[in-house]
Amino acid sequence: MITAAHLEELLSDLIPIGLGEDGGTTRLAWTREDEEAAAWFARRAAAIGRTMERDPAGNLWAVPDTAGPWWAAGSHLDSVRSGGRFDGALGVAAAFAVAEHAPIAVISFADEEGARFNTPTFGSRALVGRLDVDDALDRVDDHGITLADAMADAGVDPAGLPDAPQWLEKLRGFLELHVDQTRDVAAGRGPAGVVTRLAARLRLQVKLGGRADHAGTTPREERHDALAAAARIMVRADTEAAQRLGMVFTTGRLEVEPNAPTTVPSRARLWLDARAPEPETVESWREAVTAEAGRVADEAGVTLALRTAAWSPGTEFPDDVREALLAGLRPPKPRIVCYAGHDAGVIAGARRAGMVLVRNETGISHSPEEDVSLEDAAAGANALLAAAGELA
Ligand SMILES: [Zn+2]
């Protein structure tokens, strides 16, 4: 059995790393704080008689002395700026607790948050061969440092990054425990819940081309206002989303040219992010929005180019893994659709995987207000342990 006290002990020398005065955690990938967290990982590995290894993507592994490939458990040790103390860290600590009782590997995936280089799930995507290596290595942080240089500074040779998928052969499956980033588990009245699937996600990029003109002297009928059209498309896309069950919609980014207070906007680019449990829901939203955007552009006399910037039909976690995790929980056992990306979702594209979410009463994440009771976390960790016994 894994106890809250055991998790507290594991976390005691991890939580202080990168902890700010506001109570938020800042451990960006490939920084000194991230290295300190890797040193914590190495100490915890040594405490259970294992040696920390780093794969070519900088993912941290602690494997058992049995013959591989292994089932593994873990999460990530990096954070966003001023994020929650348990996001990622709790999953790695729980994995070390499980590894004391079961022959599983412990993994901490590199740069899950992507907060420094906009490269979310960097390590897990590199492992399954779904990372555009050249594009990633050229990315630059706020200080003009490339990801390649940051990796090299942290002691990981960026030239080796394309070899990361060779390590996938060591992995049979992956289990992740993570703090709930919603109130879904709390609403289901359980200390922990099991993720059934990751939601389908679509990002559309919409480009509108009009004509720059004088904001005062251009009559209504002569305007080709790209931003006015963009505004109508945003509202209609939101209205369409509201009519579909379980769907969330965000216009996350908008660029306007010339972006001058007294000029009719000539160009607008917007990024629409839509997510729903089932891919069919997102597809039907896409059809409606495409038709609506065409009508709006015609009425406004602007050109329209619409393209898919990112699409994932969502990830269904395998039944047997899900059931093995559910069997390790006491009722009630909330089943959750997860709307955020996670390493377990990436790994699920290549290996069997499953996920447990631990109740977070605030529902807030990526913030110091994220909160977890270690009693709840222990219940989730024991579900992982039970599943590891069943699967490994
Ligand atoms: Zn996380």
Side-chain angles (χ1 to χ4, degrees), residues 75-80 86-89 112-113 176-179 181 341-343 355 365-366 370:
S75 191
H76 60 94
L77 292 173
D78 70 310
S79 77
V80 296
F86 297 106
D87 187 337
E112 191 275 342
E113 299 288 4
E176 182 166 8
L177 175 145
H178 200 278
V179 50
Q181 295 170 296
H342 286 289
D343 292 314
M355 235 187 138
S365 76
H366 288 185
E370 167 213 272

Side-chain angles (χ1 to χ4, degrees), residues 128-348:
V128 301
R130 269 185 47 208
L131 181 74
D132 182 338
V133 168
D134 294 330
D135 171 70
L137 290 176
D138 285 344
R139 302 243 176 150
V140 177
D141 74 2
D142 293 344
H143 303 288
I145 299 167
T146 63
L147 196 154
D149 286 343
M151 272 182 91
D153 283 349
V156 182
D157 179 9
L161 186 56
D163 298 332
Q166 291 172 14
W167 281 59
L168 187 58
E169 290 164 24
K170 298 174 190 277
L171 197 63
R172 269 177 65 204
F174 181 67
L175 302 172
E176 182 166 8
L177 175 145
H178 200 278
V179 50
D180 188 7
Q181 295 170 296
T182 65
R183 267 190 296 270
D184 289 352
V185 176
R189 300 181 179 285
V194 172
V195 180
T196 54
R197 68 186 331 272
L198 298 183
R201 312 197 289 273
L202 172 68
R203 201 157 69 238
L204 284 181
Q205 190 201 62
V206 183
K207 281 188 190 176
L208 298 156
R211 194 180 68 208
D213 215 332
H214 194 289
T217 61
T218 316
R220 262 194 107 75
E221 62 277 12
E222 286 177 26
R223 285 171 185 248
H224 302 276
D225 185 336
L227 183 55
R232 290 190 185 102
I233 290 170
M234 283 162 61
V235 170
R236 291 189 194 178
D238 186 57
T239 306
E240 285 295 333
Q243 288 164 5
R244 285 168 178 77
L245 203 65
M247 187 146 187
V248 289
F249 167 73
T250 312
T251 303
R253 186 172 172 190
L254 174 64
E255 291 176 356
V256 182
E257 288 175 32
N259 211 17
T262 56
T263 307
V264 175
S266 59
R267 295 163 71 83
R269 278 204 298 175
L270 55 160
W271 282 260
L272 311 179
D273 180 300
R275 307 182 191 209
E278 302 299 333
E280 297 76 22
T281 312
V282 182
E283 287 287 6
S284 78
W285 175 87
R286 183 213 300 256
E287 277 173 34
V289 168
T290 303
E292 284 287 319
R295 271 194 289 278
V296 167
D298 280 350
E299 282 167 20
V302 301
T303 61
L304 169 73
L306 207 141
R307 83 177 174 88
T308 300
W311 164 243
S312 162
T315 307
E316 188 86 27
F317 287 116
D319 266 340
D320 62 329
V321 182
R322 233 159 56 189
E323 291 307 317
L325 289 168
L326 283 165
L329 283 177
R330 280 202 215 109
K333 307 180 180 190
R335 294 160 179 257
I336 309 291
V337 175
C338 182
Y339 283 77
H342 286 289
D343 292 314
V346 175
I347 298 300

